[in-house]
Amino acid sequence: MIDAIGVFDSGVGGLTVVAALRRRLPEESILYLGDTARLPYGSKSPDTVKGYTRRNIEFLTGRGVKAVVIACNTASALALPSLEMHELPTWGVIEPGALKAARVSRGRVGVIATEATVRSDAYPRALRALRPELEIVSRACPLFVPLVEEGWHDDSITEEVARRYLAPLLEAGIDTLVLGCTHYPLLVPVLQRVAGPDVTLVDSAEAVAEMVAAGLADRHLESTHPAVHELCVTDSGETFQRIARQILQDPGVGLEWVEVV
Ligand code: DGL
């Protein structure tokens, strides 16, 4: 897809970033890759996630994209800092999320993410670089991703799980909660109910879209073709397609199965 923005995630979660990109940049074509065959990334080692990231980017660049968005916090945290494999502009999701949280927080930030992202310390480092006085409490929430992939976004079981995960953060008095995994914006109704109205939830999708818009304009890479959207997955995708239609509010969304080796 010549002239498209290539976007990838381990599954369906990165579509929250695609939805924001489609709103902010309706004239841009997007080629999305959901690496459903290798999901979850969040419990894997840094070397494994780096290998997956490299192959996903090779797939996207092989299809001629003009820029890459790593719409996966785990891959952004573990692979982006050491990525030296291609010339294309490449953006991750950690920096925009941290910027937004640092702007809105009154001093105490909670970060929820996958185990690998929490272990990488990427969010606390990015947040402290912006505001060294911030108090930051992080928590891995490994059950959230399978619940989202199952389509149980707004479910009593998910709410019970959220209560357990968020309890220590709420006890610590957080005023801002960073959704450090692209699957989590789908849980916003549950998370806001559990966290209460005084906690600001930070989803980096809109901030990523702003960063991409500015980056394309700086490089004079804006679209010159009519927008086309394509979704690819590396495993069978019935549930993926159902959730994709919901997130993108596009009942016509089709899927292509691809092999990424
Ligand atoms: N979407 C991934 C992220 O943002 C999490 C899902 C996974 O563990 O693969 O970190």
Side-chain angles (χ1 to χ4, degrees):
M1 269 176 91
I2 307 299
D3 205 30
I5 303 169
V7 181
F8 81 86
D9 179 37
S10 53
V12 81
L15 291 175
T16 56
V17 175
V18 171
L21 283 168
R22 280 171 66 158
R23 280 194 298 274
R24 177 65 184 79
L25 296 165
E27 67 289 352
E28 293 292 340
S29 297
I30 297 173
L31 171 63
Y32 183 83
L33 174 65
D35 191 13
T36 45
R38 287 180 270 258
L39 175 98
Y41 283 14
S43 54
K44 307 275 181 358
S45 72
D47 281 347
T48 299
V49 174
K50 279 180 201 166
Y52 293 169
T53 300
R54 181 163 298 120
R55 283 190 295 242
N56 292 342
I57 293 178
E58 275 164 7
F59 168 81
L60 294 169
T61 52
R63 292 241 176 152
V65 301
K66 63 182 174 185
V68 173
V69 177
I70 303 182
C72 172
N73 286 262
T74 308
S76 298
L78 271 50
L80 184 56
S82 59
L83 206 65
E84 284 165 14
M85 56 175 296
H86 64 102
E87 306 280 299
L88 298 182
T90 303
W91 297 280
V93 289
I94 305 279
E95 194 193 328
L99 267 170
K100 199 166 159 188
R103 251 199 324 265
V104 300
S105 177
R106 301 188 297 280
R108 280 192 191 153
V109 181
V111 177
I112 52 172
T114 63
E115 279 165 345
T117 301
V118 169
R119 234 180 290 124
S120 76
D121 209 36
Y123 271 106
R125 258 188 285 121
L127 285 162
R128 287 206 187 92
L130 296 160
R131 280 183 59 188
E133 85 289 1
L134 284 177
E135 285 178 41
I136 303 158
V137 197
S138 302
R139 175 100 207 236
C141 305
L143 292 176
F144 280 162
V145 169
L147 286 166
V148 168
E149 295 280 332
E150 190 62 30
W152 294 6
H153 309 148
D154 201 352
D155 187 281
S156 58
I157 290 177
T158 310
E159 186 158 335
E160 190 50 41
V161 172
R163 276 189 206 290
R164 288 249 199 136
Y165 279 144
L166 295 192
L169 284 69
L170 298 172
E171 275 159 32
I174 59 159
D175 59 73
T176 301
L177 181 64
V178 177
L179 310 185
C181 171
T182 43
H183 284 63
Y184 299 175
L186 298 165
L187 300 172
V188 160
V190 163
L191 294 173
Q192 193 74 71
R193 251 191 332 268
V194 172
D198 296 337
V199 175
T200 307
L201 304 188
V202 171
D203 159 11
S204 55
E206 306 289 339
V208 173
E210 277 310 318
M211 193 174 270
V212 172
L216 292 180
D218 282 352
R219 295 169 177 82
H220 307 292
L221 280 176
E222 296 101 326
S223 171
T224 51
H225 298 82
V228 179
H229 300 294
E230 283 183 20
L231 300 184
C232 300
V233 284
T234 54
D235 199 0
S236 61
E238 243 173 68
T239 312
F240 184 101
Q241 192 162 29
R242 183 166 44 77
I243 304 175
R245 287 180 174 160
Q246 214 176 314
I247 298 174
L248 300 175
Q249 293 176 357
D250 182 350
V253 159
L255 278 189
E256 181 189 350
W257 176 83
V258 295
E259 206 163 7
V260 175
V261 284

